[in-house]
Amino acid sequence: MTIHVLILCTHNSARSVLAEGMLNHWAKALGKDVHAYSAGSAPSGRVNPRALEALQGAGVDIQGLRSKSWDAFTGDAAPAMHIVITVCDSAAAEQCPYWPGSPVKVHWGYPDPSNAPEAGKATAFELTRQAIGYRMLQLLALPLHELGQAELQAALSRISRN
């Protein structure tokens, strides 16, 4: 059974896309049956090119990454989510819709690398990719198919403190 993870950020253009790319990259590399999706409450309609550059630089396949609304994951045709992660504070503060599957929710906040000075943007995106990638590896190290919801919530909360 595939573990479905939805990663949310308001505009779905940088942090959530970095997380989707990194989780799918590591899941494939480690042979884990986990699939990540990303979305936003007010998607920008485009992925920040610096996010794509950071992912490509790490050898991540960026095909299929796009900015999308979280509405795409609320209908009957949407996969049942096991985990929902917010990666920006504004998305964490929003009233989220009902997600099929009654997922465990956690907030792993990251500063927006788009706000870095122009001369430091590439570095900011790379550091954000690395930080997100580390947490995604921690997530994949969990025995996801064996944990109940309370145990999973506790484990994800522990990861948020690392």
Side-chain angles (χ1 to χ4, degrees):
M1 171 184 79
T2 301
I3 300 290
H4 296 283
V5 180
L6 180 59
I7 303 149
L8 303 173
C9 195
T10 303
H11 300 294
N12 189 220
S13 64
R15 291 165 284 182
S16 54
V17 174
L18 288 169
E20 176 186 5
M22 290 308 300
L23 184 54
N24 285 333
H25 174 77
W26 287 124
K28 182 178 178 182
L30 297 171
K32 301 284 186 166
D33 194 8
V34 175
H35 190 82
Y37 309 85
S38 67
S41 60
S44 68
R46 70 171 192 83
V47 175
N48 189 306
R50 298 234 189 222
L52 296 175
E53 289 169 12
L55 290 168
Q56 279 185 305
V60 174
D61 180 4
I62 62 167
Q63 285 190 336
L65 291 177
R66 60 183 179 82
S67 179
K68 52 207 163 295
S69 172
W70 65 15
D71 293 340
F73 299 96
T74 61
D76 293 337
M81 294 298 157
H82 297 89
I83 301 168
V84 173
I85 303 169
T86 53
V87 292
C88 68
D89 295 339
S90 58
E94 292 183 64
Q95 181 62 41
C96 291
Y98 167 78
W99 306 114
S102 301
V104 172
K105 299 174 187 125
V106 67
H107 177 61
W108 292 346
Y110 300 91
D112 187 350
S114 302
N115 292 334
E118 190 57 42
K121 275 195 198 305
T123 300
F125 272 89
E126 176 57 19
L127 292 174
T128 302
R129 185 202 62 77
Q130 289 177 20
I132 287 171
Y134 176 68
R135 280 201 176 143
M136 295 307 155
L137 280 171
Q138 290 179 296
L139 176 113
L140 290 169
L142 297 173
L144 295 172
H145 290 91
E146 300 168 19
L147 297 176
Q149 283 203 310
E151 296 167 309
L152 180 57
Q153 183 71 63
L156 295 174
S157 295
R158 274 193 305 277
I159 290 171
S160 71
R161 294 188 294 271
N162 290 334

